[in-house]
């Protein structure tokens, strides 16, 4: 999301007329402020686009949807038949993987794999990829699922991930290859990827619900769609990043174009592709949880059910299961990406392939154990599993009993004295003022093309008729981002001093980032029930991660000679921080803020689940009524808000880096 | 096309918008000022060269002089803007994509500056790769790969991956890979530039040893004049895309075409490089009384005789027949003339 298509080609800012330094901000922001102040005198159409002027994007899309659904446009079958056939095609691998993991194959008289085997394989794989610590972590996480009675739900979720991730990965790689080989396709693909990656999760669910229906299959397909863009993006970057000489070596060896692609380019891009695989898996898990809104089964479904009935303790228990699964999948796939080939010394098979041998042993041993000796190895009976729900319930009780009043006071005060006035302030902004602001910023940072792009984004939101709602979303995001900066920036500065701190902070960021975003709603509901304060808290917890990470990274990336030069010039540590390290790290920090905005936008829509009254609520309604047009248009509004910020900040950071000579 | 293995005529490579059109409108040979003024980047300008069978032609130039682009034009990794390239008399630029693949599979080998090994393949698999893509059976290609591994001295490293090898070892793999198909023509693009000086020296010796056995036709790129002198039969010096002079090392030293060439040759120890033949007068001496020296001796080897003999010295060939005369003044001029 940080690296967007248009970021790379701007020219250094030379030859512009020289103005005094105060004049530029005044000229850029002045008209905006003037228009906001003069709101009362503006004609009403300049504040909110009047109803008759609305462009009926929704009706247009729904007309297309109707044609696709009803009319036999391909002669014998409709588009909807086609999508349903696709859904059937995803069903049989889903059945097989679910059969292997949990359901078994009753028709063949075969049971599913015993849980001890899956735990064992996870541990062996972890050891093979990285070492005993990963073995313990992966095996432990999976074992938890069995011991704490979440085995069946977890395996259904895991099956959906294991089916969706390869499909999404394959589609993403195919798109990436096509984009690298065909220039026109890349021009087409980048903006689509930009929009897809900033489209809220729910926007994927609605078209899937319309064309495929609800259910586990539909959820899996939505997951594939959602998880595919990062793979395509990383495939393009990876294939572009191959050393030119390696490609030339392939050509000189006499490769045909096909051999060049499959024997040279794709393997040489392995590192980037494997990072893509990691991202795809994590996106799949996040989406499988959310896809429970269209009927995907598994952990997400149960979590949703518990949350809706406000059974926080049970919800927390499931949340922990999801988190552990996320950690196991993330660490394993990261280790897979980081693993480099090494030669195998000669010897007997069990010596050269110890892990394969161990895996074989585990399979035979555990199946024997399951079949011959004890059914406990197959699946733990309910009375042997431990449930932690009572503990969580007790915790929730303690919090509600002891903290309820304090929290309620905090919540109401924040709402009354800060949030509501702020919301009113935001709702004063006329669309015309914002269009002028973003256009002039875009023009100043890069030129007319950027100005027109970002102005177009804002115009779309205004003329689609969602201006007031969008302003509420903007207010929540803006407030959350400010809190994230206030909290995250000092944390990042703190974490950048010293390797140990950085290691700890990196681990924490990595871990928290693997959690599916939906999880963050659980503690928030527990603390603040529903409403704006709860939503904003969830957003802040989720979106603070990138700002910490980028601040830390940016400060550490400042060349040590420059810091040494500052020290020998007699700077105090504070002076070094503010006069040397911060200015140099600032472009990086801005990219972190950019990510924070994107994360906040994702979360603000998910937070619609706990009762906000912004664009998220509109998407939520669209989902309820299966209104594909509305869902997509509101989704695009959210996406365009994000892209406006993204394009402007990326352009600024690029410009600033060029000035510093570090781009 | 005579006997030369590769030849190129008036090869141009310009980067920019519609370079073909630009060349046409400027009569096919614009000068560098015109090229720059029109906003084109001149990579190769009007280069004509030929390489004889079993010859080592070294293309020498500083970075950005177009030497890498030129060798990529010769192997058609880069499509030249204009000109002709002949390979065994065949017009390379008219060859179809399929014909090029065949040529590369059987006639050309190339070694790269940064080795360009495939990271996911072992040493053995990297070396067998060119045979694999042309469909040679596994047993046959691995047997061939093992032969070359022995040739370049990498026995015992067959199952290693490139990242487990040192730079010198990696380049040995690169060399072995390029030799796997027994090419006629061997392109080496700064093969030793990324290596430490000591290793570089060792690899140069290794390279000469291989060439003694293999007698390939070689185009060798370097930015290091000492390396060029050590390895070359002939040297082509490039500047701003143009070949400013092409000849033997001795010719470049004794008869530099431009100040640029003179600048390069300034610090070379000439007494170790030049032979008697390079500095003698062709007319045989009338006075045959004094000592005589062999024409193929290096100047450093005959320096004592030259210093001790006041009269011109008779130069003889290996049969003892007089072929020329060496005068002390000429020797001093060849060694010290042209230096500030």
């Amino acid at each position: 999301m940080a690296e967007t298509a248009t970021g790379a080609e701007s020219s250094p800012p030379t030859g512009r007329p020289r103005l005094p330094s105060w004049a530029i901000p005044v000229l850029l922001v002045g008209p905006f402020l003037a228009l906001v102040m003069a709101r009362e005198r503006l004609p009403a159409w300049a504040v909110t686009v009047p109803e008759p002027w609305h462009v009926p994007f929704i009706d247009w899309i729904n007309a297309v949807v109707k044609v696709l659904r009803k009319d036999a446009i391909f002669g014998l079958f409709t588009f909807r038949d086609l999508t349903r056939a696709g859904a059937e095609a995803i069903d049989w691998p889903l059945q097989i993987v679910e059969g292997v993991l949990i359901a078994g194959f009753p028709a063949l008289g075969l049971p599913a794999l015993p849980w001890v085997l899956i735990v064992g394989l996870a541990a062996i794989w972890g050891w093979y990829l990285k070492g005993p610590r990963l073995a313990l972590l992966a095996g432990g996480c999976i074992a938890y699922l069995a011991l704490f009675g979440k085995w069946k739900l977890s395996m259904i979720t895991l099956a959906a991930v294991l089916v969706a991730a390869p499909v999404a990965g394959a589609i993403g790689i195919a798109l990436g290859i096509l984009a690298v080989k065909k220039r026109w396709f890349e021009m087409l693909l980048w903006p689509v990827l930009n929009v897809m990656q900033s489209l809220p999760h729910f926007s994927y669910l609605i078209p899937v619900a319309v064309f495929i229906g609800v259910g586990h299959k539909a959820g899996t397909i939505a997951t594939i769609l959602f998880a595919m863009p990062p793979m395509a993006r990383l495939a393009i970057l990876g294939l572009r990043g191959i050393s030119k000489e390696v490609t030339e070596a392939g050509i000189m060896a006499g490769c045909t174009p096909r051999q060049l692609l499959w024997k040279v380019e794709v393997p040489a891009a392995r590192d980037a592709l494997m990072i893509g695989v990691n991202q795809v898996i994590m996106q799949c898990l996040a989406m499988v949880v959310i896809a429970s809104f269209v009927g995907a089964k598994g952990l997400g479904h149960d979590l949703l059910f518990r949350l809706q009935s406000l059974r926080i303790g049970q919800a927390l228990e499931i949340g922990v299961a999801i988190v552990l699964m996320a950690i196991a999948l993330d660490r394993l796939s990261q280790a897979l990406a980081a693993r480099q080939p090494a030669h195998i010394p000669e010897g007997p098979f069990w010596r050269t392939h110890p892990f394969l041998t161990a895996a074989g042993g585990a399979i035979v041993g555990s199946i024997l154990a399951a079949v011959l000796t004890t059914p406990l190895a197959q699946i733990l009976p309910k009375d042997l599993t431990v449930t932690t729900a009572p503990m969580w319930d007790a915790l929730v009780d303690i919090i509600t009993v002891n903290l309820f009043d304090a929290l309620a006071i905090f919540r109401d005060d924040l709402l009354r004295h800060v949030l509501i006035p702020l919301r009113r302030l935001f709702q004063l902004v006329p669309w015309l003022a914002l269009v002028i602001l973003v256009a002039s910023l875009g023009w100043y940072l890069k030129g007319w093309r950027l100005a027109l792009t970002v102005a177009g984004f804002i115009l779309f939101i205004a003329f689609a008729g969602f201006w007031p709602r969008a302003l509420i979303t903007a207010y929540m995001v803006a407030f959350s981002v400010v809190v994230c900066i206030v909290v995250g920036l000092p944390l990042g500065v703190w974490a950048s001093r010293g390797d140990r701190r950085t290691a700890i902070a990196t681990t924490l960021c990595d871990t928290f980032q693997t959690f599916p975003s939906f999880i963050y709603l659980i503690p928030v509901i527990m603390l603040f029930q529903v409403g704006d304060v709860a939503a904003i808290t969830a957003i802040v917890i989720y979106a603070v991660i990138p700002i910490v990470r980028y601040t830390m990274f940016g400060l550490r990336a400042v060349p040590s000679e420059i810091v040494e030069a500052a020290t020998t010039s007699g700077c105090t540590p504070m002076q070094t921080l503010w006069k040397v390290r911060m200015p140099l790290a600032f472009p990086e920090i801005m990219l972190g803020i950019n990510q924070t905005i994107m994360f906040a936008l994702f979360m603000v829509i998910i937070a619609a689940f706990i009762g906000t009254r912004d664009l998220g609520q509109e998407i939520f309604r669209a989902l309820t009524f299966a209104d594909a047009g509305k869902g997509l248009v509101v989704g695009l509004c959210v996406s365009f808000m994000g892209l406006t910020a993204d394009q402007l900040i990326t352009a600024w950071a690029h410009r600033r880096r060029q000035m510093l000579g570090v781009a | 096309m005579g006997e030369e293995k590769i030849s190129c005529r008036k090869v141009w490579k310009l980067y920019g918008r519609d370079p073909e059109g630009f060349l046409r409108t400027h009569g096919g040979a614009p000068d560098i000022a015109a090229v720059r003024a029109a906003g084109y980047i001149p990579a190769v300008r009007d280069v004509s060269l030929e390489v004889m069978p079993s010859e080592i032609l070294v293309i020498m130039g500083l970075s950005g002089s177009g030497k890498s682009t030129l060798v990529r034009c010769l192997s058609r990794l880069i499509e030249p803007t204009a000109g002709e390239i002949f390979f065994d008399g065949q017009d390379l630029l008219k060859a179809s994509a399929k014909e090029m693949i065949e040529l590369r599979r059987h006639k050309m080998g190339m070694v790269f500056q940064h080795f360009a090994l495939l990271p996911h393949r072992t040493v053995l698999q990297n070396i067998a790769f060119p045979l694999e893509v042309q469909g040679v059976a596994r047993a046959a290609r691995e047997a061939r790969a093992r032969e070359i591994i022995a040739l370049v001295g990498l026995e015992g490293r067959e199952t290693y991956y490139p990242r487990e090898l040192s730079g010198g070892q990696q380049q040995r793999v690169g060399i072995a890979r390029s030799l796997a198909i027994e090419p006629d023509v061997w392109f080496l693009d700064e093969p030793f530039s990324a290596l430490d000086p000591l290793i570089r020296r060792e690899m140069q010796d290794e390279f000469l040893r291989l060439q003694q056995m293999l007698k390939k036709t070689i185009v060798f790129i370097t930015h290091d004049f000492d390396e060029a002198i050590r390895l070359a039969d002939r040297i082509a010096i490039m500047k701003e895309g143009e070949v400013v002079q092409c000849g033997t090392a001795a010719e470049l030293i004794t008869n530099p075409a431009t100040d640029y060439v003179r600048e390069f040759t300034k610090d070379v120890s000439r007494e170790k490089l030049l032979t008697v033949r390079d500095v003698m007068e062709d007319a045989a001496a009338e006075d045959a009384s004094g000592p005589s020296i062999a024409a193929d001796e290096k100047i450093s080897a005959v320096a004592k005789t030259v210093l001790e003999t006041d009269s011109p010295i008779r130069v003889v060939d290996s049969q003892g027949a007089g072929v020329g005369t060496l005068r002390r003044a000429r020797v001093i001029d060849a060694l010290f003339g042209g230096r500030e």
Side-chain angles (χ1 to χ4, degrees), chain A residues 243-257 259 263-264 267-268 270 340-346, chain B residues 72 75 77 101 104-105 108 110 112-120 129-130 132-133 159-161 163-164 177 187:
Chain A
S243 137
K244 208 160 177 244
E245 279 194 343
V246 170
T247 314
E248 288 177 342
I251 297 174
M252 286 308 290
C255 285
T256 61
Q259 286 174 326
K263 286 178 184 268
V264 178
R270 177 194 174 276
Q340 294 295 329
H343 73 279
I344 300 165
E346 283 180 39
Chain B
R72 280 168 174 72
S75 57
L77 281 170
I101 288 176
R104 290 181 181 130
R105 284 182 174 180
M108 295 178 179
M110 187 157 173
F112 295 88
Q113 181 176 2
H114 301 291
F115 325 134
L117 302 178
L118 302 177
H120 59 292
F129 181 68
E132 181 186 324
V133 296
T159 57
Y160 281 57
Y161 286 88
R163 62 173 197 96
E164 299 177 295
R177 176 178 64 185
F187 297 107

Side-chain angles (χ1 to χ4, degrees), chain A residues 63-403:
Chain A
V64 174
V65 169
K66 197 173 164 204
V67 170
L68 288 177
R69 280 184 67 164
K70 298 271 158 62
D71 301 351
I73 50 165
F74 299 111
L76 295 176
F77 51 86
T78 63
F79 180 74
R80 200 181 187 200
D81 291 336
L82 199 70
T83 53
R84 297 233 155 149
E88 288 309 316
I90 206 72
D91 198 36
W92 65 263
L94 212 51
Q95 296 283 338
I96 291 175
V97 178
E98 259 177 36
V100 170
L101 288 180
I102 186 72
F105 300 95
L108 301 172
L110 288 175
L113 293 182
W115 70 272
V116 283
L117 174 57
I118 295 175
V119 171
L121 287 181
I124 291 169
W125 205 38
W127 198 313
Y128 164 72
L129 290 174
K130 207 164 167 196
R133 282 180 60 182
L134 185 59
L136 211 62
L137 182 76
C141 285
I142 307 291
Y144 173 94
L145 302 176
L147 296 175
F148 288 83
K150 294 284 169 278
W151 188 249
K152 186 152 184 245
L153 295 174
S154 315
M155 288 305 114
I156 293 173
T157 297
L158 184 62
V161 171
L162 290 182
V163 170
V167 177
I171 298 174
I173 290 178
L175 290 176
I177 288 171
L178 213 56
V180 170
K181 297 290 168 188
K182 300 269 180 263
R183 178 112 186 89
W184 63 267
F185 187 75
E186 191 186 2
M187 307 276 283
L188 212 72
L189 189 63
W190 273 117
V192 175
L193 289 181
N194 279 343
V195 170
M196 282 183 86
Q197 281 193 281
S198 50
L199 216 52
H201 302 72
F202 289 124
S203 292
Y204 284 85
L205 297 180
I206 302 164
V208 169
V210 168
F211 285 109
I212 295 163
V214 294
H216 196 49
K217 284 177 284 188
T220 311
I221 294 209
T223 303
I224 291 171
L225 288 177
F226 182 78
M228 179 266 293
M231 187 74 235
R233 197 181 279 268
L234 278 156
I236 295 175
L237 290 178
L239 290 169
R240 282 272 149 74
I242 302 171
S243 137
K244 208 160 177 244
E245 279 194 343
V246 170
T247 314
E248 288 177 342
I251 297 174
M252 286 308 290
C255 285
T256 61
R258 184 183 293 250
Q259 286 174 326
L260 189 68
L261 178 65
W262 293 112
K263 286 178 184 268
V264 178
E265 291 175 325
V266 170
R270 177 194 174 276
D271 287 359
L273 294 179
M274 291 313 288
I275 293 172
V277 167
N278 169 258
Q279 290 211 3
V280 165
I281 292 176
M282 297 325 290
Q283 297 275 39
C284 278
L285 186 59
M287 192 63 187
V288 161
V289 175
I290 290 173
S292 52
F293 279 97
V294 292
K297 294 181 289 174
L299 291 168
H301 184 265
D302 261 49
L303 175 61
L304 187 64
F305 182 68
R306 312 274 182 233
L307 278 181
Q308 272 165 345
S309 49
L310 280 177
R311 302 170 89 159
I312 306 295
Q314 291 176 351
L316 272 169
E317 196 184 11
I318 297 174
V320 171
I322 295 177
V323 161
L324 288 178
M325 188 140 98
I327 291 177
L329 286 176
D330 178 59
R331 292 300 138 82
L332 284 174
S333 56
Q334 263 189 24
L336 181 67
R339 197 181 155 76
Q340 294 295 329
H343 73 279
I344 300 165
E346 283 180 39
F349 183 84
W350 63 270
R351 264 203 114 100
T352 54
H353 299 85
F355 296 103
L356 222 52
T357 315
I363 292 173
V364 174
S366 58
I367 289 178
L368 279 181
V371 174
L372 297 180
T373 57
T374 157
L376 292 184
Q378 180 66 39
I379 187 162
L380 280 178
K382 231 191 173 87
D383 50 347
L384 278 180
T385 61
V386 185
T387 172
T388 49
M391 182 190 91
W392 297 113
D393 277 330
L395 182 71
V396 176
D397 284 344
I398 292 171
I399 288 174
T400 34
V401 170
N402 294 320
L403 294 177

Side-chain angles (χ1 to χ4, degrees), chain B residues 19 145 180 200 275 277:
Chain B
R200 193 181 308 161
T275 60
R277 193 187 295 277

Side-chain angles (χ1 to χ4, degrees), chain B residues 288-305:
Chain B
S289 62
S292 64
I293 52 179
D296 293 328
E297 289 281 6
K298 291 278 193 285
I299 296 293
S300 57
V302 299
K304 193 159 186 289
T305 319

